[in-house]
Short mmCIF file of all heavy atoms in Angstrom, two decimals:
data_model
loop_
_atom_site.label_atom_id
_atom_site.label_comp_id
_atom_site.label_asym_id
_atom_site.label_seq_id
_atom_site.Cartn_x
_atom_site.Cartn_y
_atom_site.Cartn_z
N LYS B 68 82.31 98.46 77.53
CA LYS B 68 82.36 98.52 76.08
C LYS B 68 82.86 99.88 75.63
O LYS B 68 82.72 100.87 76.34
CB LYS B 68 80.96 98.30 75.48
CG LYS B 68 80.40 96.91 75.71
CD LYS B 68 79.03 96.78 75.06
CE LYS B 68 78.46 95.39 75.27
NZ LYS B 68 77.11 95.24 74.67
N MET B 69 83.44 99.88 74.45
CA MET B 69 83.84 101.15 73.84
C MET B 69 83.51 101.05 72.35
O MET B 69 84.36 100.66 71.55
CB MET B 69 85.32 101.42 74.07
CG MET B 69 85.71 102.83 73.69
SD MET B 69 87.31 103.30 74.32
CE MET B 69 87.32 105.03 73.85
N PRO B 70 82.27 101.34 71.99
CA PRO B 70 81.83 101.15 70.61
C PRO B 70 82.48 102.09 69.61
O PRO B 70 82.56 101.78 68.42
CB PRO B 70 80.32 101.39 70.70
CG PRO B 70 80.13 102.22 71.92
CD PRO B 70 81.20 101.82 72.88
N ASN B 71 82.96 103.25 70.11
CA ASN B 71 83.66 104.18 69.23
C ASN B 71 84.63 105.02 70.06
O ASN B 71 84.65 104.90 71.30
CB ASN B 71 82.68 105.05 68.45
CG ASN B 71 81.76 105.83 69.36
OD1 ASN B 71 82.20 106.64 70.16
ND2 ASN B 71 80.46 105.56 69.25
N ALA B 72 85.38 105.85 69.41
CA ALA B 72 86.45 106.59 70.09
C ALA B 72 85.93 107.65 71.05
O ALA B 72 86.71 108.22 71.82
CB ALA B 72 87.36 107.24 69.05
N SER B 73 84.64 107.94 71.02
CA SER B 73 84.14 109.04 71.83
C SER B 73 83.15 108.59 72.91
O SER B 73 82.48 109.42 73.52
CB SER B 73 83.47 110.09 70.94
OG SER B 73 82.41 109.51 70.21
N PHE B 74 83.08 107.29 73.17
CA PHE B 74 82.08 106.85 74.13
C PHE B 74 82.45 105.48 74.71
O PHE B 74 82.87 104.58 73.99
CB PHE B 74 80.71 106.77 73.45
CG PHE B 74 79.58 106.41 74.37
CD1 PHE B 74 79.19 107.28 75.37
CD2 PHE B 74 78.89 105.22 74.22
CE1 PHE B 74 78.14 106.96 76.22
CE2 PHE B 74 77.84 104.89 75.06
CZ PHE B 74 77.46 105.76 76.06
N SER B 75 82.24 105.36 76.02
CA SER B 75 82.45 104.07 76.67
C SER B 75 81.41 103.91 77.78
O SER B 75 80.94 104.90 78.35
CB SER B 75 83.85 103.99 77.28
OG SER B 75 84.03 102.78 77.99
N THR B 76 81.06 102.67 78.06
CA THR B 76 80.14 102.38 79.15
C THR B 76 80.73 101.31 80.06
O THR B 76 81.48 100.43 79.62
CB THR B 76 78.78 101.88 78.64
OG1 THR B 76 78.99 100.69 77.86
CG2 THR B 76 78.08 102.92 77.82
N LEU B 77 80.36 101.40 81.32
CA LEU B 77 80.66 100.37 82.31
C LEU B 77 79.33 99.94 82.89
O LEU B 77 78.59 100.77 83.41
CB LEU B 77 81.58 100.91 83.41
CG LEU B 77 81.92 99.95 84.54
CD1 LEU B 77 82.80 98.81 84.03
CD2 LEU B 77 82.65 100.67 85.68
N LYS B 78 79.03 98.66 82.76
CA LYS B 78 77.73 98.16 83.19
C LYS B 78 77.91 97.16 84.32
O LYS B 78 78.83 96.32 84.30
CB LYS B 78 77.01 97.51 82.02
CG LYS B 78 75.60 97.03 82.31
CD LYS B 78 74.95 96.44 81.06
CE LYS B 78 74.71 97.49 80.01
NZ LYS B 78 73.95 96.95 78.85
N ILE B 79 77.02 97.26 85.30
CA ILE B 79 77.00 96.29 86.40
C ILE B 79 75.61 95.67 86.42
O ILE B 79 74.60 96.37 86.54
CB ILE B 79 77.29 96.96 87.76
CG1 ILE B 79 78.57 97.79 87.69
CG2 ILE B 79 77.41 95.90 88.85
CD1 ILE B 79 78.82 98.63 88.93
N GLN B 80 75.55 94.36 86.28
CA GLN B 80 74.27 93.66 86.24
C GLN B 80 74.43 92.23 86.76
O GLN B 80 75.14 91.45 86.14
CB GLN B 80 73.73 93.64 84.81
CG GLN B 80 72.58 92.68 84.54
CD GLN B 80 71.33 93.00 85.32
OE1 GLN B 80 71.16 94.10 85.81
NE2 GLN B 80 70.44 92.03 85.44
N PRO B 81 73.79 91.90 87.88
CA PRO B 81 73.03 92.77 88.78
C PRO B 81 73.94 93.48 89.76
O PRO B 81 75.01 92.98 90.11
CB PRO B 81 72.14 91.75 89.51
CG PRO B 81 72.99 90.52 89.58
CD PRO B 81 73.79 90.50 88.31
N SER B 82 73.53 94.64 90.22
CA SER B 82 74.34 95.39 91.17
C SER B 82 74.17 94.84 92.59
O SER B 82 73.13 94.26 92.92
CB SER B 82 73.97 96.88 91.13
OG SER B 82 72.60 97.04 91.42
N GLU B 83 75.21 95.03 93.40
CA GLU B 83 75.21 94.59 94.79
C GLU B 83 75.70 95.74 95.67
O GLU B 83 76.45 96.61 95.19
CB GLU B 83 76.10 93.37 94.97
CG GLU B 83 75.64 92.16 94.20
CD GLU B 83 76.51 90.94 94.45
OE1 GLU B 83 77.44 91.02 95.29
OE2 GLU B 83 76.25 89.90 93.81
N PRO B 84 75.33 95.75 96.95
CA PRO B 84 75.79 96.84 97.84
C PRO B 84 77.30 97.02 97.85
O PRO B 84 77.79 98.13 97.97
CB PRO B 84 75.24 96.41 99.20
CG PRO B 84 74.00 95.63 98.88
CD PRO B 84 74.32 94.88 97.62
N ARG B 85 78.06 95.94 97.73
CA ARG B 85 79.53 96.06 97.75
C ARG B 85 80.09 96.73 96.50
O ARG B 85 81.29 97.01 96.44
CB ARG B 85 80.18 94.70 97.93
CG ARG B 85 79.88 93.70 96.84
CD ARG B 85 80.29 92.31 97.29
NE ARG B 85 79.76 91.27 96.41
CZ ARG B 85 80.53 90.43 95.74
NH1 ARG B 85 81.83 90.49 95.85
NH2 ARG B 85 80.00 89.50 94.97
N ASP B 86 79.24 97.01 95.53
CA ASP B 86 79.68 97.75 94.35
C ASP B 86 79.68 99.25 94.59
O ASP B 86 80.13 100.03 93.74
CB ASP B 86 78.79 97.44 93.14
CG ASP B 86 78.76 95.96 92.80
OD1 ASP B 86 79.78 95.27 93.05
OD2 ASP B 86 77.72 95.49 92.29
N SER B 87 79.16 99.66 95.72
CA SER B 87 79.10 101.09 96.04
C SER B 87 80.52 101.65 96.09
O SER B 87 81.39 101.14 96.80
CB SER B 87 78.41 101.30 97.39
OG SER B 87 77.07 100.87 97.33
N ALA B 88 80.75 102.69 95.30
CA ALA B 88 82.09 103.26 95.17
C ALA B 88 81.99 104.49 94.27
O ALA B 88 80.91 104.81 93.76
CB ALA B 88 83.05 102.25 94.53
N VAL B 89 83.11 105.14 94.06
CA VAL B 89 83.21 106.18 93.03
C VAL B 89 83.93 105.58 91.85
O VAL B 89 85.02 105.02 92.00
CB VAL B 89 83.94 107.44 93.53
CG1 VAL B 89 83.98 108.49 92.42
CG2 VAL B 89 83.25 108.00 94.77
N TYR B 90 83.32 105.68 90.69
CA TYR B 90 83.90 105.11 89.47
C TYR B 90 84.42 106.26 88.61
O TYR B 90 83.69 107.20 88.28
CB TYR B 90 82.85 104.30 88.71
CG TYR B 90 82.48 103.03 89.45
CD1 TYR B 90 81.57 103.05 90.51
CD2 TYR B 90 83.07 101.81 89.12
CE1 TYR B 90 81.25 101.90 91.20
CE2 TYR B 90 82.75 100.64 89.82
CZ TYR B 90 81.85 100.70 90.85
OH TYR B 90 81.54 99.56 91.54
N PHE B 91 85.69 106.17 88.25
CA PHE B 91 86.32 107.20 87.44
C PHE B 91 86.65 106.66 86.06
O PHE B 91 87.09 105.52 85.91
CB PHE B 91 87.62 107.68 88.08
CG PHE B 91 87.43 108.53 89.30
CD1 PHE B 91 87.66 108.00 90.57
CD2 PHE B 91 87.05 109.86 89.18
CE1 PHE B 91 87.49 108.78 91.69
CE2 PHE B 91 86.89 110.65 90.32
CZ PHE B 91 87.10 110.10 91.57
N CYS B 92 86.46 107.50 85.09
CA CYS B 92 86.93 107.26 83.74
C CYS B 92 88.08 108.23 83.48
O CYS B 92 88.09 109.37 83.96
CB CYS B 92 85.80 107.52 82.76
SG CYS B 92 86.23 107.35 81.02
N ALA B 93 89.09 107.76 82.76
CA ALA B 93 90.22 108.61 82.41
C ALA B 93 90.62 108.31 80.97
O ALA B 93 90.39 107.21 80.46
CB ALA B 93 91.40 108.35 83.34
N SER B 94 91.20 109.31 80.32
CA SER B 94 91.71 109.09 78.97
C SER B 94 93.10 109.68 78.84
O SER B 94 93.50 110.56 79.61
CB SER B 94 90.77 109.67 77.91
OG SER B 94 90.76 111.09 77.92
N SER B 95 93.85 109.17 77.87
CA SER B 95 95.20 109.69 77.66
C SER B 95 95.62 109.46 76.22
O SER B 95 95.00 108.68 75.48
CB SER B 95 96.20 109.02 78.60
OG SER B 95 96.48 107.71 78.17
N GLU B 96 96.69 110.18 75.85
CA GLU B 96 97.29 109.97 74.53
C GLU B 96 98.78 109.83 74.73
O GLU B 96 99.54 110.77 74.51
CB GLU B 96 96.96 111.14 73.60
CG GLU B 96 97.42 110.92 72.17
CD GLU B 96 97.33 112.20 71.33
OE1 GLU B 96 97.07 113.28 71.88
OE2 GLU B 96 97.54 112.10 70.12
N GLN B 97 99.20 108.70 75.23
CA GLN B 97 100.61 108.40 75.47
C GLN B 97 101.28 109.42 76.38
O GLN B 97 102.46 109.68 76.26
CB GLN B 97 101.37 108.33 74.14
CG GLN B 97 100.82 107.24 73.21
CD GLN B 97 101.67 107.08 71.97
OE1 GLN B 97 102.87 107.25 72.01
NE2 GLN B 97 101.05 106.71 70.86
N GLY B 98 100.52 110.01 77.25
CA GLY B 98 101.06 110.97 78.21
C GLY B 98 100.33 110.82 79.51
O GLY B 98 99.99 109.72 79.90
N GLU B 99 100.10 111.92 80.18
CA GLU B 99 99.38 111.81 81.44
C GLU B 99 97.92 111.48 81.21
O GLU B 99 97.34 111.83 80.19
CB GLU B 99 99.50 113.10 82.25
CG GLU B 99 98.85 114.31 81.61
CD GLU B 99 99.85 115.14 80.81
OE1 GLU B 99 100.86 114.58 80.35
OE2 GLU B 99 99.60 116.35 80.66
N ALA B 100 97.33 110.80 82.21
CA ALA B 100 95.91 110.47 82.17
C ALA B 100 95.10 111.64 82.70
O ALA B 100 95.47 112.28 83.68
CB ALA B 100 95.65 109.22 83.01
N PHE B 101 93.99 111.93 82.02
CA PHE B 101 93.06 112.97 82.45
C PHE B 101 91.81 112.30 82.97
O PHE B 101 91.22 111.46 82.28
CB PHE B 101 92.71 113.90 81.27
CG PHE B 101 93.86 114.75 80.81
CD1 PHE B 101 94.83 114.22 79.97
CD2 PHE B 101 93.98 116.07 81.22
CE1 PHE B 101 95.90 114.99 79.54
CE2 PHE B 101 95.04 116.85 80.80
CZ PHE B 101 96.01 116.31 79.96
N PHE B 102 91.40 112.69 84.17
CA PHE B 102 90.29 112.03 84.83
C PHE B 102 89.00 112.84 84.72
O PHE B 102 89.03 114.07 84.73
CB PHE B 102 90.60 111.83 86.31
CG PHE B 102 91.51 110.66 86.59
CD1 PHE B 102 92.86 110.73 86.31
CD2 PHE B 102 91.00 109.49 87.12
CE1 PHE B 102 93.70 109.65 86.53
CE2 PHE B 102 91.83 108.40 87.36
CZ PHE B 102 93.17 108.48 87.07
N GLY B 103 87.89 112.11 84.66
CA GLY B 103 86.59 112.73 84.81
C GLY B 103 86.29 113.00 86.27
O GLY B 103 87.10 112.68 87.15
N GLN B 104 85.12 113.58 86.52
CA GLN B 104 84.73 113.94 87.89
C GLN B 104 84.26 112.74 88.69
O GLN B 104 84.11 112.82 89.90
CB GLN B 104 83.62 114.99 87.85
CG GLN B 104 84.02 116.30 87.21
CD GLN B 104 84.75 117.21 88.19
OE1 GLN B 104 85.84 116.91 88.62
NE2 GLN B 104 84.13 118.30 88.54
N GLY B 105 83.99 111.64 87.99
CA GLY B 105 83.58 110.43 88.69
C GLY B 105 82.07 110.29 88.81
O GLY B 105 81.32 111.27 88.72
N THR B 106 81.65 109.06 88.99
CA THR B 106 80.25 108.74 89.28
C THR B 106 80.21 108.07 90.65
O THR B 106 80.85 107.04 90.84
CB THR B 106 79.64 107.79 88.24
OG1 THR B 106 79.58 108.44 86.97
CG2 THR B 106 78.24 107.35 88.67
#
Side-chain angles (χ1 to χ4, degrees):
Chain B
K68 294 181 180 179
M69 191 166 186
N71 57 61
S73 59
F74 184 66
S75 176
T76 59
L77 177 68
K78 184 178 293 186
I79 308 172
Q80 166 63 19
S82 58
E83 297 182 4
R85 60 194 168 120
D86 302 330
S87 297
V89 181
Y90 291 80
F91 287 104
C92 177
S94 69
S95 75
E96 186 191 9
Q97 300 186 33
E99 64 265 26
F101 291 81
F102 282 74
Q104 297 277 67
T106 295

